[in-house]
Amino acid sequence: VKLKGAAVPLKGLFLAVGAKAPEFSLVGKDLSNLTLSSFGSKRKVLNIFPSVDTEVCAKSVRQFNQSAGKLSNTAVLCISADLPFAAGGFCGAEGISNMVTLWTFREPGI
C-alpha cells in the first residue's frame, strides 16, 4: 500500500476473498459488544474505513447501503474508528438502514 508514492507499513494480514475472518469484538450502536459470531450463519461483508467524515468513506457507506438492500442472508458490516454518536448522526441523515454499523473505539488496534 502506498500513500503519495511512499510505502505505508500495515499491521496484520489481509484475508483472501472467501477466507474465514477471525473472531473479533466491536461496539454496536447501543454500545454493546458485538462479535462476528453475533451475526450467526449469515454471510458477512465487511466495509472497513477510517471515518464517515471523509468524502471517499462516506461515499463507500452510501454505496454499500444501496447494495446491502439487495442481498439476502447477508450481514453487511460497516466498521470505522468514528464514535458511535457521530456516525449514528451521519447514518440517520443519509438514511443508512440496510447494514450494521460497528466501531473500533474500544479496541483501536483492530
Side-chain angles (χ1 to χ4, degrees):
V1 174
K2 293 186 177 187
L3 176 65
K4 296 183 179 181
V8 177
L10 300 175
K11 181 179 178 183
L13 301 172
F14 282 105
L15 294 175
V17 172
K20 186 174 180 177
E23 189 66 32
F24 55 77
S25 179
L26 297 168
V27 179
K29 66 179 176 180
D30 64 355
L31 302 182
S32 66
N33 288 328
L34 293 173
T35 63
L36 194 58
S37 60
S38 298
F39 302 95
S41 62
K42 291 182 178 182
R43 291 176 297 205
K44 288 91 174 169
V45 175
L46 308 180
N47 177 23
I48 303 168
F49 54 93
S51 174
V52 294
D53 288 334
T54 66
E55 185 178 329
V56 170
C57 296
K59 182 177 180 178
S60 82
V61 171
R62 289 183 199 103
Q63 289 177 334
F64 269 83
N65 184 62
Q66 287 179 336
S67 296
K70 302 171 189 168
L71 301 173
S72 62
N73 193 38
T74 303
V76 178
L77 311 177
C78 283
I79 302 167
S80 79
D82 290 310
L83 291 176
F85 307 108
F90 169 83
C91 291
E94 295 286 332
I96 305 296
S97 60
N98 295 321
M99 57 198 177
V100 178
T101 48
L102 299 169
W103 299 281
T104 64
F105 76 93
R106 288 188 190 143
E107 301 287 338
I110 291 180

